[in-house]
Amino acid sequence: MKVAILGMGSVGRGVLRMLGEKDLGIEVTAVADSGSALIDKKGISIPEILKAKEMKGSCGDRSLGAIDVVSAADYDVLVEVTPTNAITGEPALTHMLAAIDRGHHVVTSNKGPISREFSLLMSRASEKGVCVRYEATVGGAIPIMHTLDQGLAGNRILAIFGVLNGTCNFILTRMADEGLTYEQALLEAREMGYAEADPTYDVKGIDPAIKLVILANKFWKETVRLEDVDITGIDKLTNNALRLAEEQHCTIRLIAEAIPDRGILRVAPRLLPLSHPLVVEGTLNAITIETDMAGEITLIGKGAGSVETASAILGDLLYIRDIHEGSHPETA
Amino acid sequence: MKLEIKDAPGQLVAALKPISEVGGNIIAVIHQRDDKQRGKMLSVQIVLELPDHRLKDLTRLLREQGVNIQRIGHERLLYEKAVMMIGHLIHTDLGDTVDRIDRTGFAEVTELNISMPAITEVSSARLLIKSVNREDMEQAMDILRRVAKEKDFLLVEPLEEIE
Ligand SMILES: NC(=O)c1ccc[n+]([C@@H]2O[C@H](COP(=O)([O-])OP(=O)(O)OC[C@H]3O[C@@H](n4cnc5c(N)ncnc54)[C@H](OP(=O)(O)O)[C@@H]3O)[C@@H](O)[C@H]2O)c1
């Protein structure tokens, strides 16, 4: 199976490294970063491309770009791992649609296009008989999409509750454990490289809300959008509140919640008993799914990281390889 | 709660035993034996206090004893929820905030813990609210959510799994 990779950041490099280390029968025929691209239908040497990126900062020919990869390279699956644009989903959305129109599958970690244009992407993909898979968009390494699609197939999803933002969870853990103020804990998260220079998306609850939209679209009747989510962040929490909670053997976590029967789509700090399965430490993520047949299932794992996210991407790639074995859609 | 039990010696005791097993407290037992249609069944009304979430266990235990439950009446302020409020609670008249719940008559604030670092800083408080049942609690929470919006403080609610 041949893949073309857009994005050589933390996730893209993790995917390349793992494809290089593991003998999975997956060949890389094109890569692109923000300013260059490399296309070779005979296959690209992974160690060489990683080295070139490290030394030169760019991966290939500066006269080429992502759109050339999408429209001219020889590949079965487009791996789209460029930065998230939560408002338009672009330019990733255009790249994905172009790949689908050429009859290629898409695997992505990019929340923008999946949360903004879920139904468009899915209907185009089904017209063309290709898959769009996005395991890496929610919960990092946690195989939540596989669990919902395959493992829990046939179940009715009654509710989903999740700790979907590692940065917020880290901040809350530090405030509770060390009595740090919100500002101190945020500063620490920045120093550890967990928080962006502009942490607004995380601490205001927007990032987990985008992930909730992606999750909810798997089992909600109508298409869900970010505007449908009732969002409260963690930036107004105090260490005193955490202390008062602790006195009652409780703590506070930022919980994303989707309950279809009650129409609830909400991200907000919530009180939970310390013994609750969603009370996870540090940057971990956790997701509880309540179903009619399987009852309650909780998954806990690393919500981010280069190799951790690569795990989710590889899971999607191998899924596509296995179901489409011997029936590769015609490549143009 | 209205129970129906066989009119035989020892039956009442058998019916009452599970209540203490789940940690319940019997407040009153009222029985009538005038129901002709029910033949040998005895109708008993029990007023009791139960720890949170034990009602299901109790009904199961009672059924195992062969006790027929006719009706489960309203529990009185046995439903409780702890919430957190963060903001300028004092400036925005905490007394009034509490009163808005108490005034409903179906829910009340039974505990209040507050931490105020300095007069200009925000304070944090933990409230314990009690109500008769889940529906009343939901209404009390709606009121509190409205007050939080109006007075611009953050309300942190407990996470409750659905049934
Ligand atoms: N990091 C994680 O743990 C994680 C986990 C789950 C999901 N995600 C999502 O995965 C995506 C990638 O994350 P990341 O951490 O790898 O980001 P990153 O380190 O910032 O890397 C982004 C990469 O995309 C490239 N790029 C930017 N614009 C491009 C364009 N128009 N065409 C082609 N390439 C372009 C960048 O090029 P240059 O190298 O030239 O700058 C860079 O190589 C994001 O959407 C993120 O939200 C990340």
Side-chain angles (χ1 to χ4, degrees):
Chain A
M1 188 166 78
K2 294 172 186 163
V3 300
I5 303 178
L6 302 186
M8 279 197 73
S10 171
V11 176
R13 291 198 309 272
V15 170
L16 280 164
R17 264 178 39 225
M18 290 305 112
L19 287 179
E21 273 178 30
K22 293 168 187 273
D23 186 18
L24 301 171
I26 296 174
E27 202 177 16
V28 181
T29 53
V31 290
D33 55 22
S34 67
S36 71
L38 184 69
I39 303 175
D40 187 343
K41 66 167 174 258
K42 292 195 298 294
I44 289 168
S45 153
I46 291 175
E48 274 172 33
I49 190 83
L50 284 171
K51 195 153 172 213
K53 178 73 183 164
E54 196 185 324
M55 309 295 278
K56 292 189 294 182
S58 66
C59 66
D61 187 339
R62 292 197 169 276
S63 65
L64 296 176
I67 194 68
D68 301 305
V69 166
V70 173
S71 51
D74 176 19
Y75 63 97
D76 302 303
V77 187
L78 180 72
V79 175
E80 209 295 334
V81 289
T82 69
T84 294
N85 177 332
I87 297 154
T88 64
E90 294 293 1
L93 178 62
T94 300
H95 296 156
M96 288 180 187
L97 289 171
I100 294 168
D101 285 343
R102 286 187 66 202
H104 303 311
H105 306 287
V106 173
V107 169
T108 189
S109 62
N110 192 333
K111 297 173 281 287
I114 301 296
S115 64
R116 283 262 68 114
E117 294 296 348
F118 181 74
S119 18
L120 174 66
L121 284 163
M122 292 305 138
S123 60
R124 284 280 185 90
S126 80
E127 273 168 34
K128 293 285 174 179
V130 298
C131 301
V132 173
R133 295 191 64 93
Y134 46 96
E135 180 66 80
T137 56
V138 180
I142 298 176
I144 179 64
M145 303 300 167
H146 280 79
T147 303
L148 289 171
D149 287 339
Q150 280 87 45
L152 293 174
N155 274 272
R156 203 162 78 80
I157 306 301
L158 306 175
I160 282 201
F161 303 99
V163 171
L164 303 180
N165 186 276
T167 309
C168 288
N169 206 66
F170 175 82
I171 291 172
L172 294 175
T173 307
R174 298 297 291 162
M175 287 172 74
D177 291 357
E178 306 296 328
L180 301 182
T181 63
Y182 166 74
E183 287 77 15
Q184 289 168 332
L186 175 59
L187 203 67
E188 199 181 279
R190 278 217 186 114
E191 279 165 7
M192 308 276 291
Y194 298 146
E196 313 274 319
D198 176 9
T200 315
Y201 262 62
D202 292 327
V203 300
K204 293 274 186 200
I206 300 162
D207 169 79
I210 293 171
K211 291 166 176 165
L212 186 68
V213 167
I214 295 175
L215 280 177
N217 273 323
K218 285 207 154 300
F219 55 90
W220 218 264
K221 270 207 244 37
E222 304 88 36
T223 305
V224 172
R225 331 199 97 240
L226 185 56
E227 294 74 24
D228 302 325
V229 185
D230 183 6
I231 311 173
T232 308
I234 62 160
D235 53 331
K236 292 211 169 75
L237 288 176
T238 60
N239 48 0
N240 281 325
L242 280 148
R243 192 179 46 73
L244 284 169
E246 201 111 350
E247 281 171 14
Q248 304 298 321
H249 312 289
C250 288
T251 193
I252 298 174
R253 287 292 190 265
L254 186 65
I255 303 291
E257 167 188 37
I259 309 178
D261 288 350
R262 288 195 231 149
I264 294 177
L265 284 167
R266 173 157 65 157
V267 171
R270 304 291 282 273
L271 268 172
L272 293 97
L274 286 169
S275 58
H276 195 285
L278 289 179
V279 178
V280 291
E281 298 289 303
T283 57
L284 283 176
N285 282 17
I287 305 168
T288 295
I289 315 155
E290 291 193 9
T291 68
D292 61 342
M293 291 192 285
E296 195 177 293
I297 288 178
T298 299
L299 303 171
I300 298 174
K302 300 222 170 94
S306 175
V307 172
E308 290 81 355
T309 309
S311 161
I313 302 266
L314 261 58
D316 279 345
L317 286 174
L318 294 176
Y319 174 87
I320 290 174
R321 188 195 63 185
D322 292 348
I323 60 160
H324 286 272
E325 201 132 68
S327 67
H328 289 299
E330 215 52 53
T331 47
Chain B
M1 168 185 288
K2 204 166 176 185
L3 302 179
E4 203 174 73
I5 54 181
K6 286 195 210 83
D7 185 10
Q11 278 301 300
L12 184 59
V13 180
L16 297 184
K17 227 180 71 192
I19 297 174
S20 62
E21 274 170 27
V22 299
N25 214 352
I26 299 164
I27 296 166
V29 180
I30 307 150
H31 44 141
Q32 310 129 318
R33 210 181 301 226
D34 58 0
D35 202 334
K36 288 176 209 109
Q37 286 166 317
R38 291 185 190 278
K40 279 205 162 329
M41 291 302 254
L42 171 70
S43 205
V44 182
Q45 275 185 51
I46 302 175
V47 182
L48 70 158
E49 220 173 56
L50 272 185
D52 253 10
H53 313 304
R54 296 308 299 269
L55 188 59
K56 257 197 203 135
D57 292 336
L58 177 63
T59 53
R60 182 177 48 81
L61 286 171
L62 284 172
R63 286 208 181 95
E64 281 170 16
Q65 298 274 346
V67 177
N68 215 330
I69 301 168
Q70 280 187 299
R71 195 165 60 83
I72 297 175
H74 272 306
E75 309 117 278
R76 172 90 197 131
L77 292 189
L78 295 179
Y79 199 77
E80 63 174 44
K81 215 171 199 176
V83 300
M84 214 73 127
M85 300 191 315
I86 301 158
H88 291 288
L89 305 175
I90 310 295
H91 291 311
T92 59
D93 196 350
L94 185 60
D96 167 74
T97 303
V98 169
D99 196 45
R100 300 245 201 133
I101 300 295
D102 290 353
R103 256 200 324 247
T104 61
F106 54 72
E108 61 190 62
V109 176
T110 59
E111 256 182 69
L112 176 66
N113 279 290
I114 181 154
S115 139
M116 290 172 288
I119 195 81
T120 52
E121 281 176 50
V122 297
S123 28
S124 311
R126 198 186 81 94
L127 271 76
L128 192 65
I129 300 171
K130 289 198 178 179
S131 76
V132 164
N133 57 35
R134 190 183 276 266
E135 292 71 47
D136 288 347
M137 182 60 79
E138 206 30 60
Q139 275 198 50
M141 294 309 294
D142 273 343
I143 294 173
L144 210 50
R145 285 179 202 130
R146 270 204 305 277
V147 178
K149 240 182 216 136
E150 177 191 314
K151 299 188 176 183
D152 191 32
F153 60 73
L154 172 64
L155 178 69
V156 180
E157 296 177 39
L159 181 70
E160 281 173 349
E161 250 92 304
I162 59 171
E163 308 278 78

